[in-house]
Amino acid sequence: DVLRRNTDYALRIVVHLARQWKGEPASSRDIAAAEAVSYDLTCKLLQKLAKIRLVKSTMGQMEEHTSELQSHS
């Protein structure tokens, strides 16, 4: 059940990034709030998505992660 829940959350995060994608990164806190996923879990899932190169995630100011869809062109 946890695997399915995390997969659902990861897909919601990717869809969120796709919907708002304008070439600018989104704050992990904003993503978490918009998708009703805890901040810690959002960061964990974004790290996993970055590891498989689906998203690009960087550390911003004040320990804030920002993420965007990874371009594969």
Side-chain angles (χ1 to χ4, degrees), residues 19-49:
R19 283 187 180 145
Q20 68 88 44
W21 190 64
K22 296 172 189 154
E24 296 182 20
S27 160
S28 53
R29 289 191 192 280
D30 291 343
I31 296 168
E35 298 304 323
V37 180
S38 75
Y39 173 71
D40 290 337
L41 181 56
T42 298
C43 289
K44 183 178 176 180
L45 293 172
L46 284 168
Q47 287 175 341
K48 289 183 178 195
L49 292 169

Side-chain angles (χ1 to χ4, degrees), residues 17 20-28 30-31 56-58 65-69:
L17 290 170
Q20 68 88 44
W21 190 64
K22 296 172 189 154
E24 296 182 20
S27 160
S28 53
D30 291 343
I31 296 168
K56 180 180 175 185
S57 187
T58 57
H65 293 275
T66 58
S67 300
E68 59 188 298
L69 289 178

